[in-house]
Amino acid sequence: MIKNYLKVALRNLWKNRLFTIIGILGLSVAFGVATLLTMDSLHQLSFDKFHKNGERLYQAHITWQTPKGTEVGTSQPTPFAEALRSEVPGVDKITRFLEEEALTIYKEKELGLDAIYVDADFFEMFSFPMIKGTRQNSLEEISSVVITESTAVKLFGDTDPIEKTITVLINGENVPFTVKAVSADEPDQSSISYDIALPFKKNPEYEETKELWNAQYHEVFLQLQEQVTSKMFEENSRGFTNQHYAGAIENLKRDGALPNANGDFAQLGLLPVRDMRFVDYRKGFVEISRAKVYLVLGVALLILFIACVNFVNMSIAKSSQRLREIGMRKTLGAEKRQLFSQFWGESLIVFGISLGLGILLSVLLKDKFQALFGTNATFDVLLSPQLLLTALLFILILSLIVGGYPALLLSRLSTIQSLKGKLGSSGKNRLRDALIVLQFGIAILLISGTLVLNGQLDYMRNKDLGYDKEQVLSFPLNGKKNSHDVVKLLREALTNNPDIMAVTAADNNLGRGRDGSQYSSVWGFDYKGKSVRTNSLVVDYDYAKTLGLEFVKGRGFDISRESDTQSVIINESMAKELGEDHPLTARLPISDSLSYPIIGVVKDYNFQDISKNIEPLTFFLDKEEVLYYAYVKVASSNMAKSFSFVEDTYKKIEPNAEFLGSFLDENVDRTFKREKTMAALITSGSIIAILLSCVGLFAMSMLITNLRTKEIGIRKVIGASILSVTYLLTKDFVKLVVIAFFIATPIAWWFANEWLENYANRVDLSWHFFALSGVLALLIAVLTIGTRTLKSALANPVKSLKIE
């Protein structure tokens, strides 16, 4: 019997091969896309879960109650970790963590490595596999280091690196270290990455800050003892924060800050390491959100849903061709369960073929998917036995629901109705209409999201940031020489070129350069009885000139005035923070006995991500501080030639350093990575959703025209025009798309508005985004339906009237 069912199923699938191919194509695309999106989602959700004691690992942060609201800081002072271990019960292990670029030298090789400065507990807390050496005590000695496997190959080739001596450039000095262990390269699912790990006490800031509680510049991770919960630890730490931050707390009270629910002005908090990938502090509190991951999964499910709805619709559409077969089978004694098994079996075959082709499609598109979405996700995350079993069960249930509904509908038809060859007396079907509305509602939602996302991206790309980003080239000063000497040599070598307009440097980059770094430095002090916080930036001469910053008051740093090294420049936001009507008369307290005059005020510009409001900023001209990035402004003509000239010049000055130059507009564009990924995702989902919805509409239009073939013939015989017949067959579908638009638009507006709230600078949420999405959906629907309805309207009425 099963063999007979299989033969009949294959025969019918081949007979209706147009429907079969369309159904398999739609399901295959849906399965392929869903596989890739699920792969990426599970990859994201698996971040930082490979650590053995991961459930006990936390990152420390402090929530401050300020006059402007709550603020969260993850940077801690040098004495913090040791004091926390000794004063608050419950700490099993603890490590400080500072990530910086480190020039590492071995014989003739010089490499700019991603270095982390950590304490001895680090490798006992985090489960990075050790290939050579031991995990325990690998950083106990002050001159020991741990390197990764790829770093070992770069430095030593095939030679055993253990006990080899390398030197690291720290504060301008070559400091020797001995390699004690080699760890495997960190997994793709790790939020912590490094090339070399050094003892924390060797970091450049340690000696100056080891006893200071107001110099916060590194993170702290801790592992709690078993049976100690994060809430218990946070409660026990209240006395610790009140004691060590007493001065800061008094200042907050003085400035009018309000305490939290517990009556505290500073509260230590613990963030699970497994949540680091999904945390956001920008709103002034700890917000853990996996919304982006769930959005990806949601798009996968929506696409799969649309494909399944299309399959149901097409199964019903083609069933009108088999009604007499059903009637004959029932006349000969076939039972409902036999008919159900026959039709469901055919659906199961289509699902099986589609699943296989979908998996093949996902394999073929994996590399392009990884490049498009910037992910390292692989199929390994999908290969766990539990997940495979769940996926198999899901497919079986899906096939039973999707294939079972048409099968149940057909098997329940009466013998008389089947032999008459009519599925129903009219083309009306509430379930079908609801599914079409839902399909196009989803499509309109995705199209609206695409338009809003791309509108925000265009806004951020084209917004005037307050500085010249098109003609300014930036690159890290990653060589051995003193950074101020390098900038001086660059200025001397480059300014003779007529295409070079200005040269400067700073201790921070604008946007995100090719080296991937992006950070800021914050300085706080008391000014006339109130606390003031400002971002600080160490710059070289001509910084404002190079970037095209506009002075609203005063002047810039002058190379001919030695006293400018003890002066500052501020932005407009800092002037407002000080509350001075005449800021050029003010002096900022650098220490108890030293203050710097303000010599200039620059117009506010976006020195941070465009998603943030412009904050107070203070410029320093400090010859003792390191300059990490050079800036070169070039003429708009021959920019490629100027880029090459700057690269060649820098290589002559630092022959062993890698040149990582890029223009500031490229740097700014890199800060939009999250938005670009989301835009690519939603756009791709919209295109696929629309295409699949069109397939469903095509099937539905075929069903309706088949049911109304005789009516069309009669109307044409009595004089109906082709246009009126086409309108008659099309209007019901158009109504459904319009209904979908009015349902989906408020939902799309709400989601778009919520998303845009994350940006201080955002595009206006105009009605045209949603109107355009509705027009596009309607136009696509009309074109899809029109191809079928027009064909029916043009058919010879004599042939139509013969059909019975």
Side-chain angles (χ1 to χ4, degrees), residues 228-302:
V228 177
T229 67
S230 58
K231 288 186 178 180
M232 291 169 53
F233 189 85
E234 288 171 356
E235 183 64 27
N236 292 336
S237 69
R238 291 175 62 189
F240 172 85
T241 53
N242 289 331
Q243 175 187 347
H244 290 288
Y245 295 102
I249 290 172
E250 287 302 318
N251 289 339
L252 291 173
K253 292 178 181 179
R254 178 200 64 194
D255 296 339
L258 298 176
N260 61 19
N262 295 325
D264 296 323
F265 289 85
Q267 174 64 57
L268 176 68
L270 298 182
L271 173 73
V273 166
R274 292 179 175 180
D275 292 333
M276 284 198 311
R277 179 80 173 178
F278 310 103
V279 70
D280 187 358
Y281 301 109
R282 287 181 299 177
K283 295 180 181 179
F285 56 87
V286 178
E287 183 180 27
I288 299 171
S289 175
R290 291 174 171 81
K292 180 184 174 183
V293 179
Y294 296 142
L295 173 66
V296 174
L297 281 174
V299 171
L301 290 175
L302 290 177

Side-chain angles (χ1 to χ4, degrees), residues 425-604:
S425 57
S426 74
K428 300 291 184 182
N429 186 301
R430 290 183 180 178
L431 177 62
R432 179 204 68 206
D433 291 351
L435 291 176
I436 291 176
V437 169
L438 191 55
Q439 276 183 306
F440 271 87
I442 293 169
I444 290 169
L445 188 67
L446 291 173
I447 293 173
S448 300
T450 297
L451 295 176
V452 173
L453 272 168
N454 284 289
Q456 177 65 12
L457 272 174
D458 288 340
Y459 175 83
M460 292 191 295
R461 286 193 180 107
N462 298 320
K463 185 181 185 302
D464 181 8
L465 300 181
Y467 61 88
D468 186 354
K469 60 182 180 179
E470 283 78 20
Q471 294 175 238
V472 179
L473 170 67
S474 78
F475 54 93
L477 298 171
N478 51 1
K480 292 191 297 183
K481 293 184 174 69
N482 177 278
S483 58
H484 290 273
D485 293 339
V486 172
V487 175
K488 183 179 180 182
L489 291 171
L490 278 170
R491 187 176 282 118
E492 292 172 352
L494 293 175
T495 50
N496 291 326
N497 187 321
D499 289 329
I500 304 299
M501 303 173 69
V503 178
T504 190
D507 69 343
N508 200 356
N509 204 357
L510 284 168
R512 191 180 295 276
R514 285 175 57 193
D515 60 343
S517 65
Q518 188 181 37
Y519 61 91
S520 61
S521 178
V522 178
W523 171 45
F525 58 93
D526 278 353
Y527 183 78
K528 292 187 176 181
K530 71 172 184 177
S531 296
V532 174
R533 294 181 70 217
T534 175
N535 292 270
S536 61
L537 185 67
V538 178
V539 300
D540 195 43
Y541 298 105
D542 294 336
Y543 185 81
K545 175 185 175 182
T546 305
L547 293 176
L549 303 182
E550 181 182 342
F551 278 89
V552 294
K553 293 180 180 180
R555 60 176 178 82
F557 293 122
D558 190 338
I559 197 169
S560 64
R561 302 188 186 190
E562 185 63 30
S563 60
D564 278 4
T565 57
Q566 294 187 342
S567 304
V568 296
I569 298 171
I570 62 174
N571 68 350
E572 289 177 298
S573 294
M574 181 58 177
K576 293 176 183 176
E577 185 75 10
L578 294 174
E580 292 284 357
D581 294 331
H582 304 286
L584 297 185
T585 63
R587 298 179 71 91
L588 300 189
I590 303 303
S591 65
D592 293 338
S593 59
L594 182 64
S595 63
Y596 283 5
I598 299 172
I599 62 171
V601 180
V602 298
K603 188 175 181 180
D604 279 344

Side-chain angles (χ1 to χ4, degrees), residues 785-804:
I785 301 164
T787 56
R788 179 62 192 176
T789 55
L790 189 61
K791 181 180 179 182
S792 299
L794 290 170
N796 190 335
V798 176
K799 293 183 179 179
S800 302
L801 292 171
K802 284 182 179 181
I803 296 176
E804 180 56 49

Side-chain angles (χ1 to χ4, degrees), residues 701 705 712 716 722-723 725-727 729-730 782-795:
S701 62
T705 53
I712 294 169
K716 292 190 71 176
I722 294 174
L723 184 61
V725 172
T726 303
Y727 171 75
L729 297 174
T730 306
V782 169
L783 291 175
T784 302
I785 301 164
T787 56
R788 179 62 192 176
T789 55
L790 189 61
K791 181 180 179 182
S792 299
L794 290 170

Side-chain angles (χ1 to χ4, degrees), residues 127-141:
S127 303
F128 296 107
M130 287 294 175
I131 298 175
K132 295 180 180 179
T134 60
R135 178 180 304 278
Q136 292 77 18
N137 305 321
S138 56
L139 289 177
E140 281 288 350
E141 298 178 16

Side-chain angles (χ1 to χ4, degrees), residues 69-81:
T70 59
E71 293 181 4
V72 179
T74 57
S75 295
Q76 311 300 345
T78 304
F80 177 91

